[in-house]
Amino acid sequence: MLLNIKSYIRKPEVGELFSYAVFPDDQSVEKAVQAYESNEAWQLYGYEDGELLVGMVGYEKVGNDIILHHVSVIPENRGLGYGRGMILEMMSKENPERVIVETDEEAVDFYRSIGFIVESLGELYPGTERFRCVYEVEDEAEEM
């Protein structure tokens, strides 16, 4: 079950999860933390396995869409379904029409495996291709 972790965003284990979702330096982590602290619309949920915080998902709801800002799982727990589970539980909780995320090449296959449609945005930063991944929730419901 997802737990709201925004109230303890400054705990070291949350900072560690942010370091996997952004460039892992203190400035990038602090910038991400401040974005959640200063924006009430940004939600931050974590997933605990026992007492261990293994992952987090950060997003905002814009109209009927969800914009994913951060998704991360601690390295030793990757590939076990936590990332997929957090996203699917968040979608069940929020009931969006669409979930949108901008990501790098490293995460594209993860989003594609859940059913996101992936489109290249080109080289937005020198030497780094970015991708827009969109999950159309209504399309899946219509196929059932």
Side-chain angles (χ1 to χ4, degrees):
M1 182 170 93
L2 289 177
L3 306 166
N4 189 328
I5 62 172
K6 195 169 177 179
S7 64
Y8 57 92
I9 195 168
R10 293 275 175 189
K11 285 193 172 184
E13 58 267 33
V14 178
E16 179 184 351
L17 286 168
F18 270 116
S19 75
Y20 303 129
V22 300
F23 190 78
D25 67 11
D26 291 343
Q27 288 179 326
S28 297
V29 171
E30 180 61 23
K31 184 177 175 184
V33 167
Q34 286 179 1
Y36 287 89
E37 288 178 330
S38 65
N39 193 335
E40 287 187 35
W42 285 34
Q43 302 298 311
L44 187 65
Y45 286 87
Y47 187 86
E48 290 182 344
D49 187 354
E51 299 274 322
L52 179 66
L53 183 64
V54 296
M56 71 171 191
V57 59
Y59 64 91
E60 70 178 305
K61 194 161 187 181
V62 179
N64 292 325
D65 293 345
I66 293 288
I67 308 297
L68 283 177
H69 293 294
H70 301 96
V71 178
S72 68
V73 174
I74 57 176
E76 57 269 23
N77 287 63
R78 291 182 185 157
L80 301 177
Y82 289 111
R84 171 189 292 266
M86 289 187 302
I87 290 173
L88 295 176
E89 187 174 335
M90 177 271 307
M91 288 179 359
S92 176
K93 174 186 176 317
E94 296 291 351
N95 196 28
E97 289 180 12
R98 207 172 6 263
V99 180
I100 303 163
V101 62
E102 181 185 309
T103 192
D104 56 23
E105 189 171 10
E106 188 178 321
V108 164
D109 287 338
F110 166 72
Y111 289 107
R112 195 176 276 131
S113 76
I114 298 173
F116 282 74
I117 304 301
V118 177
E119 166 192 354
S120 174
L121 297 173
E123 201 173 292
L124 297 184
Y125 310 105
T128 305
E129 185 177 11
R130 299 292 291 173
F131 297 86
R132 183 175 193 260
C133 305
V134 179
Y135 187 94
E136 297 280 350
V137 178
E138 286 185 340
D139 288 349
E140 186 162 297
E142 290 170 7
E143 292 173 8
M144 292 180 168

